[in-house]
Amino acid sequence: MFDKEKIDEIEKKKRDWEEKTLNKTLAKFPERKEKFHTTFEEDILRIYTPSDIENLNYLEDLGFPGEYPFTRGVQPTMYRGKFWTMRQYAGFGTAEESNKRYKYLLEQGQTGLSIAFDLPTQIGYDSDDPMSEGEVGKVGVAIDSLRDMEILFDGIPLDKVSVSMTINSTAMILLAMLMVIAKKQEVPYDKLRGTIQNDILKEYMARGTYIFPPKESMDLIVDIFDYGSKTLPKFNLISISGYHIREAGANAAQEVAFTLADGIAYVEAAIKAGLDPNEFGKNLSFFFNAHNNFLEEISKFRAARRLWAKIMKERFGVTDERAMKLKFHTQTAGSTLTAQQPLNNIIRVTIQALAAVLGGTQSLHTNSYDEALGLPTEQAVTIALRTQQIIAHEMGVTETVDPLAGSFAIEKMTSQIEEKAIKYINEIDKIGGMVKAIEIGYPQKGILNSAYKTQKKIEDKEQIIVGVNKYNSDAEEKVEMLKMDENIEERQIQKLKKLKSERDTNKIQKSLERLKKAATIRENLFPFVIECVENYATIGEIIKTLKEVYGVYEENLTI
């Protein structure tokens, strides 16, 4: 970006500044720390100058928004044309209660739904299963069958609202239910918009809601790619998730590296099954964390976008630029929310959300300030949504595309994160790919090491958490808590019992038998799952059938 002569001149002036100006100040007023570091253990320089980005080629490394390598954004006009989708993650109790919350959020100006499911739904147990006891409706909405989904989306037009579903092991079943609901609402599939998470690899790595062994889980994902890319052109069939990797303790570079390595594994599996990356690549999306280090986070989003475009073009030979775009959803960092002085969380979330916007996110969830204490109240979710609306309408940061481009610090950090991520990905390639790397615990070890270092810094007060290890207060902040109905589980079980007494058992049995046969001979399971769902088979019944063919996965790592 600058010629060598100009760089040399700047470096000479910098040395003069250090000798004549800086050193005098340091002699009187030493800096707060001897060294400053990024989360990925690179030095943060006192100042950045053109010499720090002298190898940056504007046209090749930055380019223009909407064009390869998409460093500056995936759309030419970004938020000058349309704001990101404001999508608050919500779901609790029964479908009836969650439906009311969704309608409230839509009335407040939310532009998309993000569905949180309870743990039994996520790991394939019905609410009446003994394994579900105590967990029904606790961390999300309880969904046992199509009947619950009908209630969940009652009065919510699927041709007007995009729907994101945070679901992985049972993703095919929930997506099939959504498609059946769309059909009942007479909404054509090509009008259905949204995302399913469907990212099983990070479950083995960071979150734990897996059911089947990795190979069989990957087969299910490829089936979704195959069927969905032909029938759901506006639906993101996977949200390759760095969010949970970061929440588990990864640093910014690891978040990018392990997320994109998961993406590589999914693309390779789909290509092996005969799918065209120029087609299914358009239906891929990503999910990142917006953490505390403001400049680093903005740089992280830009680095991820550039690196994924290069991977799709150079590694997989993709020629359609639409299939090279890294489109992503962002959620502010749940792990940074504190139960102490919870109102401070409003500030944390605001700054994290601003980083996501300046980094070019396509959709955003802002955490509620009370989530370290329990499920969010209406007041808390409204403040979280208003945070996004204020950033969009009042701050002026949406008026120009990629406003921090060209900042010496931002461009340097963007390149550093990309370079670090490439090193991790190369190491994963040497191991034999991400599935093999997960099986031997490579990413898990890296995440644990980073988490340990962070915790040590907090305990040593090298990293300050306001209200936790500094600026504590004995004053009690009274925060209203959402009160949950203690009879949720019993009511859900009774609903399920009623459904089972009303359905056509013979139809269900036959559809489950067809599903089992298809799994055995390795046909695409999606049409068979749709048939089971339409006949009101439960999630538990469908998963139990597949377990008979696929078995279950038990983690066995030495870390």
Side-chain angles (χ1 to χ4, degrees):
M1 292 178 72
F2 292 84
D3 61 44
K4 189 174 185 311
E5 188 177 331
K6 195 69 178 172
I7 294 285
D8 290 343
E9 183 185 348
I10 291 169
E11 279 301 290
K12 183 179 178 302
K13 291 284 187 183
K14 182 184 172 186
R15 288 191 296 271
D16 290 344
W17 168 77
E18 288 171 341
E19 290 171 13
K20 296 174 182 176
T21 305
L22 174 65
N23 290 339
K24 288 179 184 177
T25 299
L26 290 176
K28 291 181 181 178
F29 307 106
E31 292 178 332
R32 290 180 290 111
K33 300 178 188 176
E34 190 176 326
K35 287 205 169 187
F36 293 78
H37 296 104
T38 64
T39 65
F40 50 94
E41 300 182 323
E42 288 284 346
D43 287 345
I44 298 175
L45 304 184
R46 184 175 292 109
I47 62 166
Y48 290 85
T49 71
S51 63
D52 295 301
I53 57 168
E54 62 180 319
N55 296 321
L56 194 73
N57 182 305
Y58 180 85
L59 293 177
E60 290 180 9
D61 297 321
L62 299 184
F64 296 95
E67 291 184 354
Y68 182 87
F70 306 105
T71 310
R72 303 200 62 188
V74 293
Q75 292 115 4
T77 59
M78 290 299 288
Y79 311 133
R80 284 169 66 100
K82 183 183 177 185
F83 293 129
W84 60 93
T85 301
M86 298 178 193
R87 193 189 294 284
Q88 293 303 102
Y89 184 50
F92 62 92
T94 63
E96 290 87 348
E97 289 162 306
S98 291
N99 175 266
K100 287 177 187 173
R101 174 63 65 90
Y102 298 151
K103 286 177 176 174
Y104 170 79
L105 287 168
L106 291 169
E107 286 167 5
Q108 298 305 309
Q110 180 169 300
T111 52
L113 294 179
S114 185
I115 315 298
F117 297 98
D118 72 356
L119 192 56
T121 303
Q122 293 181 51
I123 54 177
Y125 291 108
D126 289 334
S127 296
D128 60 358
D129 193 295
M131 290 292 289
S132 301
E133 188 175 349
E135 290 293 341
V136 175
K138 287 291 172 70
V139 299
V141 61
I143 301 292
D144 290 313
S145 73
L146 180 64
R147 182 68 51 83
D148 291 316
M149 285 289 269
E150 289 169 345
I151 296 166
L152 191 69
F153 288 100
D154 180 49
I156 297 173
L158 292 179
D159 57 342
K160 301 284 194 302
V161 177
S162 71
V163 177
S164 173
M165 297 191 289
T166 302
I167 198 72
N168 296 281
S169 294
T170 54
M172 183 182 287
I173 303 169
L174 273 299
L175 180 56
M177 288 182 181
L178 189 71
M179 292 172 71
V180 174
I181 298 294
K183 190 175 177 183
K184 286 174 179 281
Q185 289 188 6
E186 298 183 346
V187 174
Y189 288 159
D190 63 0
K191 301 287 185 191
L192 201 56
R193 295 177 298 117
T195 303
I196 45 167
Q197 194 159 105
N198 192 29
D199 175 10
I200 200 64
L201 290 180
K202 67 94 175 51
E203 297 298 321
Y204 299 109
M205 199 189 320
R207 196 161 171 268
T209 68
Y210 47 75
I211 300 172
F212 309 116
K215 181 189 176 300
E216 287 73 15
S217 294
M218 292 292 281
D219 287 344
L220 288 172
I221 288 170
V222 171
D223 284 354
I224 292 171
F225 286 178
D226 185 21
Y227 191 85
S229 62
K230 297 167 186 170
T231 54
L232 299 167
K234 293 183 179 176
F235 213 90
N236 297 315
L237 301 172
I238 192 168
S239 179
I240 305 163
S241 303
Y243 182 84
H244 309 92
I245 293 169
R246 191 64 179 275
E247 291 288 283
N251 62 44
Q254 289 172 328
E255 181 186 354
V256 172
F258 297 155
T259 305
L260 300 196
D262 282 350
I264 288 167
Y266 294 129
V267 173
E268 286 175 341
I271 290 172
K272 188 177 179 182
L275 305 185
D276 181 1
N278 285 292
E279 291 303 320
F280 72 78
K282 300 170 195 170
N283 297 90
L284 304 179
S285 68
F286 291 79
F287 176 22
F288 289 111
N289 194 304
H291 218 272
N292 275 345
N293 296 72
F294 186 68
L295 299 180
E296 187 177 307
E297 290 300 290
I298 296 165
S299 304
K300 178 189 76 181
F301 299 130
R302 300 171 84 249
R305 215 165 24 236
R306 183 161 74 204
L307 182 52
W308 183 248
K310 289 178 182 177
I311 288 167
M312 290 299 276
K313 184 176 183 177
E314 296 170 10
R315 183 169 183 148
F316 295 114
V318 169
T319 55
D320 189 330
E321 286 202 351
R322 291 173 296 174
M324 300 176 199
K325 293 180 179 181
L326 184 141
K327 300 164 291 182
F328 69 97
H329 171 68
T330 311
Q331 180 173 339
T332 56
S335 60
T336 66
L337 300 178
T338 64
Q340 302 93 326
Q341 302 177 28
L343 292 177
N344 293 346
N345 294 328
I346 297 173
I347 314 304
R348 293 185 179 102
V349 167
T350 300
I351 296 169
Q352 292 165 4
L354 182 59
V357 170
L358 291 172
T361 193
Q362 276 60 67
S363 63
L364 178 60
H365 163 90
T366 33
N367 290 329
S368 299
Y369 67 83
D370 57 357
E371 287 188 51
L373 302 168
L375 288 170
T377 61
E378 276 194 3
Q379 180 198 46
V381 297
T382 304
I383 290 170
L385 178 59
R386 294 289 182 256
T387 300
Q388 295 198 47
Q389 292 165 337
I390 289 168
I391 291 172
H393 293 284
E394 297 185 24
M395 297 295 102
V397 295
T398 59
E399 312 299 276
T400 186
V401 179
D402 191 24
L404 297 188
S407 155
F408 305 132
I410 290 290
E411 298 301 353
K412 181 63 175 179
M413 286 186 187
T414 299
S415 296
Q416 285 177 326
I417 292 170
E418 181 183 11
E419 288 160 11
K420 284 264 186 180
I422 289 170
K423 286 180 182 176
Y424 280 115
I425 291 169
N426 288 342
E427 193 61 36
I428 289 165
D429 285 341
K430 286 178 192 173
I431 292 167
M434 196 52 158
V435 174
K436 181 65 177 171
I438 288 169
E439 288 173 349
I440 68 168
Y442 173 73
Q444 295 95 312
K445 290 173 187 175
I447 293 167
L448 282 173
N449 286 337
S450 290
Y452 173 78
K453 288 175 184 176
T454 300
Q455 186 59 35
K456 184 95 171 47
K457 286 177 184 176
I458 293 169
E459 289 174 4
D460 294 343
K461 295 191 177 181
E462 185 183 338
Q463 184 171 321
I464 298 301
I465 309 295
V466 173
V468 176
N469 62 359
K470 196 170 184 180
Y471 309 114
N472 309 65
S473 172
D474 294 329
E476 187 179 340
E477 289 184 21
K478 290 186 178 179
V479 176
E480 181 188 350
M481 299 282 288
L482 181 70
K483 291 182 173 64
M484 296 285 289
D485 183 348
E486 293 179 6
N487 298 314
I488 282 171
E489 189 165 323
E490 183 55 36
R491 286 194 286 117
Q492 185 67 18
I493 289 171
Q494 288 305 313
K495 274 201 305 178
L496 183 54
K497 186 177 179 181
K498 184 172 185 290
L499 170 73
K500 288 180 176 179
S501 70
E502 295 171 347
R503 3 173 248 185
D504 187 328
T505 311
N506 187 47
K507 264 187 177 180
I508 288 170
Q509 192 57 42
K510 285 183 178 177
S511 61
L512 289 172
E513 286 171 4
R514 282 191 282 272
L515 174 65
K516 184 175 181 179
K517 183 181 177 183
T520 304
I521 63 175
R522 194 55 202 105
E523 286 188 58
N524 189 313
L525 299 191
F526 212 131
F528 299 95
V529 169
I530 289 175
E531 182 191 359
C532 291
V533 164
E534 287 178 322
N535 290 329
Y536 292 90
T538 66
I539 289 175
E541 289 166 340
I542 294 169
I543 291 298
K544 185 180 178 184
T545 300
L546 293 178
K547 282 179 180 177
E548 291 171 7
V549 181
Y550 292 159
V552 296
Y553 179 70
E554 293 182 11
E555 188 174 46
N556 183 22
L557 293 177
T558 304
I559 296 179

